[in-house]
Amino acid sequence: MAEVASVDPAMIARTKTWLANQQQPDGSWEGDQTEFFSFQTSTVRNTAFVAWALASAGTTGGPIDAALAYVKTHLGASEDAYTLGIVANAFALGAPSDPYTATLLAQLDAKKTVNGDQVYWSTAGTQTDFYGSGKDADVTATALAAHALMSFGGYAGTVQGALSFLVASRDTQGNFGSTQATIWT
């Protein structure tokens, strides 16, 4: 947000501290079951998402390292594309030189579907953290995957195909499905 609007740096510092204090001893972040938009679908997703947010805000070391270590040990080999998109973004920003990051991005790239000049990631019925499913979830997963691949670099053809898919997914009002899919796109 600070790239497009005035943001109080003290608020960012307070938020980073608060988030770090919510981290569990094993490095994870669990969703609070009382929140309306709590990420209750996966502790791995929650942890990767918070790690990505903290890394985006300039946090390094401690909380990021613990979170990414948790994700490494708990990420399943057959994770859905949406989860891999979130995790890949966390690693691309939080640990770009870790060899695991390159392996993870290759795994994400291998899950793509190519349809002509378009590339997308199917969530195969997986629900997103904000309760999206179907085409909406595929658009969201594709946007997350494209962002991670662009952040990491080296996947220009895949990214171009993903951007083609995303542009083609826009409706007549300029949206890409849900608010989540539109924001990620």
Side-chain angles (χ1 to χ4, degrees), residues 14 23 44 56 59 80 90 101-102 120 137 145 150 160 173 181:
R14 286 190 310 273
Q23 191 172 31
V44 167
S56 295
T59 299
D80 62 275
T101 304
Y120 69 95
M150 283 188 290
Q160 184 59 47
Q173 301 298 313

Side-chain angles (χ1 to χ4, degrees), residues 1-184:
M1 180 59 94
E3 292 179 19
V4 296
S6 178
V7 176
D8 180 2
M11 185 269 310
I12 294 173
R14 286 190 310 273
T15 302
K16 287 169 47 175
T17 299
W18 183 85
L19 283 169
N21 289 336
Q22 304 310 305
Q23 191 172 31
Q24 301 300 304
D26 65 359
S28 69
W29 277 275
E30 297 177 2
D32 182 345
Q33 299 296 313
T34 63
E35 297 173 15
F36 179 70
F37 281 121
S38 63
F39 296 163
Q40 300 171 24
T41 57
S42 168
T43 301
V44 167
R45 284 185 195 173
N46 299 347
T47 301
F49 190 83
V50 175
W52 179 17
L54 287 171
S56 295
T59 299
T60 59
I64 303 293
D65 294 344
L68 297 181
Y70 175 88
V71 171
K72 277 184 188 180
T73 60
H74 291 87
L75 184 67
S78 62
E79 289 292 349
D80 62 275
Y82 176 79
T83 299
L84 281 178
I86 293 173
V87 170
N89 276 290
F91 276 88
L93 191 57
S97 60
D98 184 332
Y100 182 80
T101 304
T103 301
L104 182 63
L105 272 287
Q107 181 183 357
L108 179 64
D109 186 57
K111 285 191 171 282
K112 71 185 177 203
T113 299
V114 178
N115 183 9
D117 69 341
Q118 296 182 0
V119 171
Y120 69 95
W121 282 262
S122 172
T123 57
T126 299
Q127 187 179 49
T128 70
D129 287 337
F130 295 101
Y131 314 108
S133 60
K135 172 82 179 223
D136 177 69
D138 292 351
V139 169
T140 303
T142 300
L144 287 167
H147 187 272
L149 294 169
M150 283 188 290
S151 296
F152 188 72
Y155 290 90
T158 299
V159 169
Q160 184 59 47
L163 295 176
S164 293
F165 171 80
L166 293 170
V167 168
S169 298
R170 186 174 58 192
D171 67 22
T172 58
Q173 301 298 313
N175 299 308
F176 295 88
S178 69
T179 301
Q180 176 189 202
T182 299
I183 289 170
W184 286 126

